[in-house]
Amino acid sequence: MHGTFEQNDLALGPLYKRVKTLLVEGLARGDWQPNGAIPSESRLAEQYNVSIGTIRKAIDELVAEKILVRQQGRGTFVAAHGEDRFLYHFFHIVGSDRVKHFPVAKLLSFKKVRADALVAERLGLTRNDRVIQIQNVLWLEGKAIEVDTIYLSSALFADLTREIFVSRPSTIYQLYQVRYGLNVIRTTERLRAAAARADEAAVLEIPEGAPVLEIERIAFTYSDAPIEFRVSRVNTAQHVYLNDLDRMP
Amino acid sequence: MHGTFEQNDLALGPLYKRVKTLLVEGLARGDWQPNGAIPSESRLAEQYNVSIGTIRKAIDELVAEKILVRQQGRGTFVAAHGEDRFLYHFFHIVGSDRVKHFPVAKLLSFKKVRADALVAERLGLTRNDRVIQIQNVLWLEGKAIEVDTIYLSSALFADLTREIFVSRPSTIYQLYQVRYGLNVIRTTERLRAAAARADEAAVLEIPEGAPVLEIERIAFTYSDAPIEFRVSRVNTAQHVYLNDLDRMP
DNA sequence: AAGTGGTCTAGACCACCAT
DNA sequence: TGGTGGTCTAGACCACTTA
């Protein structure tokens, strides 16, 4: 006979999946801050009236999805964005030395515009909705190697200004997290080869029409809600996009 | 007090990791065939003198790494290559409809050559070692969209001939698996944009110099031994490379 | 020393599949 | 019906961190 589950003992799938859902809901609600600890496994087992093994199995999955981080002897923490996580999970461009370096970003433009069909579709908005468009140049080892165009829903990022954006902490996802409570936990990317347009060719110091790698990225927070759409164009003459699949530590 | 472990109870890390190592060694040795079942969890628990929970934890990781596949009520099976697995884990090109289709491959050339510096490095060989070079064109929805150049060590694939290659089962990795006992379990890829050369431009029906997506892939079997090096050049005018990161079922 | 996560065990019951 | 994996529990001990 398994443990009772408060009032809510309806058969809605395995118990540990329901515990996992409760934890994700708590995270989405902001019950625990990024870099902060969630309650200990034994405390959660008491609160939810389930065994510690069930709690562990729920947390196991959240750790595998990189939403939580375990530290033996200290506790379990909400994954926060910083340079390490950025480099490890969200930045795939690497030079010939195969070592990942943190890029330097320089702002090109910050505008409020209307969503076109593509941006609306990717962000789950409708055409002509207000969006913020930000253009960045990324430098690596002294060279401009990537031009990013970022789109954010004005509804989600209502008070975001150019000043707030440029005075952000080191990563952009950190800004979303600390200022807007939006924790990017997953992305999908579409890659293709394209010809450099005149404007980006000038910035990247390559001939117009030279091949560039285009990366369309959608960043999601909890419950698969899209919060950022980004188009990157990368000069891959000296750098490559690294994709190590199915890697386990 | 935990269970004894045959003669081998030295402290070499967690018990379930040692069980996992034993299972991988068995797989590499060919103790169980692809698509065949490994012994049941209870049988393995007896054989290794370990509790069933420990066996499950070892298998859990191998399932997460897609080396094994569980089927409730039937057993646990060695992951085998087929069209499904190919599309799901090893083929990322998709048309505008976002639906994955299985490509049609046509052989362009089959040659025995010597490894140049790049091929040697990627396959862990030395320069001038004998390698097999195979060129393929991949068709999707009636269009030639990708030219592949595959390099295989002649030492590993000693008896491979053009005839054997063209009369293979549906996927190439299936051929490696059934004929050579080499199960591809992981790949790493490097992507960049490049300009189409004359030969590939003709095949892909695009202008010479048009941007193409280049994918350098190394395929590994157990214990991270490289068995195939492949360079793909893709016309991404109508197709994209899809990368869904950190996706859990 | 107290508290945390990490490992391991043992046993019960359930859901599913084959026969 | 018997065997398989899937879930859940309960308790012991270990390894690590912090105070």
Side-chain angles (χ1 to χ4, degrees):
Chain A
M1 154 87 184
H2 70 71
T4 60
F5 196 68
E6 303 282 312
Q7 287 81 2
N8 208 347
D9 207 353
L10 312 172
L12 299 169
L15 193 48
Y16 76 90
K17 289 284 189 188
R18 284 181 276 164
V19 170
K20 184 183 171 188
T21 301
L22 288 174
L23 290 172
V24 172
E25 285 170 357
L27 289 164
R29 219 171 26 236
D31 289 358
W32 312 290
Q33 294 308 307
N35 271 329
I38 67 171
S40 75
E41 297 176 346
S42 52
R43 202 174 314 282
L44 288 169
E46 284 174 12
Q47 282 178 24
Y48 295 152
N49 274 303
V50 295
S51 83
I52 211 171
T54 301
I55 297 289
R56 280 189 64 80
K57 192 154 184 186
I59 293 179
D60 279 346
E61 293 201 350
L62 293 169
V63 168
E65 296 170 35
K66 287 136 192 154
I67 292 173
L68 296 177
V69 178
R70 283 204 177 97
Q71 283 184 246
Q72 187 177 61
R74 304 219 314 128
T76 302
F77 302 83
V78 182
H81 286 280
E83 297 197 0
D84 315 335
R85 192 182 183 198
F86 172 77
L87 284 180
Y88 198 64
H89 294 299
F90 298 103
F91 189 69
H92 304 107
I93 306 297
V94 66
S96 45
D97 57 354
R98 311 273 284 102
V99 182
K100 283 197 179 181
H101 297 286
F102 190 76
V104 178
K106 298 195 182 175
L107 183 65
L108 271 187
S109 69
F110 184 104
K111 296 182 211 167
K112 306 204 170 184
V113 299
R114 299 287 182 155
D116 61 18
L118 176 69
V119 171
E121 196 274 328
R122 299 297 199 248
L123 283 177
L125 306 174
T126 54
R127 253 194 101 157
N128 286 324
D129 278 354
R130 294 170 190 279
V131 293
I132 299 168
Q133 185 205 62
I134 302 165
Q135 284 199 299
N136 266 326
V137 187
L138 262 57
W139 292 65
L140 219 45
E141 297 160 67
K143 283 182 193 164
I145 51 116
E146 173 175 335
V147 180
D148 286 359
T149 308
I150 295 173
Y151 297 92
L152 304 169
S153 155
S154 290
L156 273 179
F157 296 85
D159 73 345
L160 181 60
T161 62
R162 183 191 183 99
E163 288 65 41
I164 292 172
F165 186 81
V166 296
S167 61
R168 69 175 178 276
S170 59
T171 79
I172 294 176
Y173 289 174
Q174 233 170 334
L175 173 69
Y176 303 164
Q177 183 173 80
V178 301
R179 187 172 181 101
Y180 301 95
L182 296 169
N183 196 350
V184 172
I185 59 169
R186 186 174 76 82
T187 63
T188 62
E189 298 186 332
R190 296 179 174 97
L191 292 85
R192 65 170 68 82
R197 290 186 305 262
D199 56 335
E200 57 200 22
V203 172
L204 298 175
E205 295 182 319
I206 52 177
E208 186 176 345
V212 291
L213 178 64
E214 178 184 281
I215 308 169
E216 264 193 25
R217 170 193 287 181
I218 308 171
F220 299 89
T221 185
Y222 304 109
S223 322
D224 286 338
I227 62 176
E228 182 207 67
F229 174 55
R230 176 187 299 210
V231 182
S232 303
R233 296 204 150 217
V234 190
N235 174 10
T236 50
Q238 308 296 334
H239 296 77
V240 294
Y241 177 103
L242 250 192
N243 200 13
D244 279 27
L245 303 171
D246 303 326
R247 211 53 185 123
M248 293 255 118
Chain B
M1 152 86 182
H2 69 73
T4 61
F5 197 67
E6 303 283 313
Q7 286 82 359
N8 207 347
D9 208 353
L10 312 172
L12 300 168
L15 193 48
Y16 75 91
K17 290 282 189 189
R18 283 182 275 164
V19 170
K20 184 183 170 188
T21 301
L22 288 175
L23 289 173
V24 171
E25 285 170 356
L27 288 164
R29 217 170 26 235
D31 289 357
W32 312 290
Q33 293 309 308
N35 271 328
I38 67 170
S40 75
E41 297 177 346
S42 52
R43 201 174 316 282
L44 288 169
E46 283 174 13
Q47 282 180 22
Y48 294 152
N49 273 305
V50 157
S51 85
I52 208 170
T54 301
I55 296 290
R56 281 190 64 78
K57 192 154 183 185
I59 294 180
D60 279 347
E61 293 201 350
L62 293 170
V63 168
E65 295 170 35
K66 287 138 194 152
I67 292 173
L68 295 177
V69 178
R70 282 203 177 96
Q71 284 182 245
Q72 189 176 61
R74 302 219 312 127
T76 302
F77 302 84
V78 182
H81 286 281
E83 297 197 359
D84 317 333
R85 192 181 183 199
F86 172 77
L87 285 179
Y88 198 64
H89 295 299
F90 298 103
F91 189 69
H92 303 107
I93 306 298
V94 65
S96 45
D97 57 354
R98 312 275 282 99
V99 181
K100 283 197 179 180
H101 296 286
F102 190 76
V104 178
K106 299 194 184 176
L107 184 65
L108 271 188
S109 69
F110 185 104
K111 297 183 211 166
K112 306 206 170 183
V113 299
R114 298 288 183 156
D116 61 19
L118 177 68
V119 171
E121 196 274 327
R122 299 297 198 248
L123 283 177
L125 306 174
T126 54
R127 254 193 100 157
N128 285 326
D129 278 353
R130 293 169 190 279
V131 293
I132 300 168
Q133 184 205 63
I134 302 165
Q135 284 199 300
N136 265 326
V137 188
L138 262 57
W139 293 66
L140 219 45
E141 298 161 67
K143 282 180 193 165
I145 51 115
E146 175 176 335
V147 180
D148 286 359
T149 308
I150 297 173
Y151 298 92
L152 303 169
S153 156
S154 290
L156 273 178
F157 296 85
D159 72 347
L160 182 60
T161 61
R162 183 193 183 98
E163 288 63 42
I164 291 172
F165 186 81
V166 296
S167 60
R168 68 175 177 275
S170 58
T171 79
I172 294 176
Y173 288 174
Q174 233 170 333
L175 173 69
Y176 302 164
Q177 184 173 79
V178 302
R179 187 170 181 101
Y180 301 95
L182 296 169
N183 196 349
V184 172
I185 59 169
R186 185 173 76 82
T187 64
T188 64
E189 298 185 333
R190 297 181 175 105
L191 292 85
R192 66 171 66 84
R197 290 186 304 262
D199 55 336
E200 57 201 20
V203 172
L204 299 174
E205 295 182 319
I206 54 177
E208 185 176 346
V212 291
L213 178 65
E214 178 183 283
I215 308 169
E216 261 192 25
R217 169 193 288 182
I218 308 170
F220 299 88
T221 186
Y222 304 109
S223 324
D224 286 338
I227 62 175
E228 182 208 67
F229 174 55
R230 175 187 300 212
V231 182
S232 303
R233 296 204 150 215
V234 189
N235 173 11
T236 50
Q238 308 296 333
H239 296 77
V240 294
Y241 177 102
L242 250 191
N243 199 12
D244 279 28
L245 303 170
D246 303 328
R247 212 50 185 126
M248 293 257 117

